Amino acid sequence: MSSSPSRDERGASFSTFVTAFTFVLILTAGLVIDGGAQMAAARRATVTAGEVARAASDAAATRRLAGEDGTAAALAAAQQRAAAASGMKVTSEIHDGVVHVEVRTSAPTVFLSIIGIEALPAEGNAQADLFATGEHP
């Protein structure tokens, strides 16, 4: 009698290997493709945060140039610009003459949804000093 495995047993072993390798390949593709989508979403969130901070800074500059406190105008401009950012949660605050903006969003997954991860979080931040045009902080 020979102790070597029969052809059928080797085929089952190879099938197990192919199944495991396919799962690892899909998971790797998910990390690359879905990770890239997350990075793109984070970039969009950072751009949006910069736009909101800039809108607030611009609104405050014109008020401060007129000798008024521009804080209320800055917050109104930030909220107006944030309203245009669909699918993103934008928060903005002003402390000590600096507007702080935080944007949170998510990127839907393609491959990672196979293992139950439907979306990946992404965020962006920006800040801008509020001062009148021509002033130096």
Side-chain angles (χ1 to χ4, degrees):
M1 295 205 132
S2 93
S3 62
S4 65
S6 70
R7 265 204 189 296
D8 292 338
E9 290 174 0
R10 284 186 289 180
S13 176
F14 185 71
S15 295
T16 303
F17 170 76
V18 169
T19 302
F21 183 74
T22 302
F23 178 75
V24 169
L25 188 62
I26 290 172
L27 188 60
T28 302
L31 291 175
V32 171
I33 293 171
D34 293 336
Q38 181 185 29
M39 288 174 41
R43 185 174 51 249
R44 286 190 306 274
T46 300
V47 167
T48 300
E51 291 171 354
V52 171
R54 178 62 184 249
S57 178
D58 289 350
T62 55
R63 296 291 185 162
R64 289 189 174 199
L65 190 57
E68 302 171 14
D69 179 30
T71 304
L75 280 175
Q79 290 172 350
Q80 182 179 10
R81 180 60 191 96
S86 64
M88 298 184 183
K89 180 183 178 210
V90 181
T91 57
S92 54
E93 299 174 339
I94 297 177
H95 297 289
D96 299 325
V98 179
V99 61
H100 301 274
V101 181
E102 182 176 287
V103 178
R104 294 183 185 273
T105 188
S106 62
T109 60
V110 176
F111 285 97
L112 294 179
S113 61
I114 294 170
I115 60 171
I117 301 172
E118 299 297 326
L120 296 173
E123 66 179 49
N125 300 292
Q127 64 182 31
D129 293 327
L130 304 179
F131 54 91
T133 304
E135 284 182 353
H136 296 286

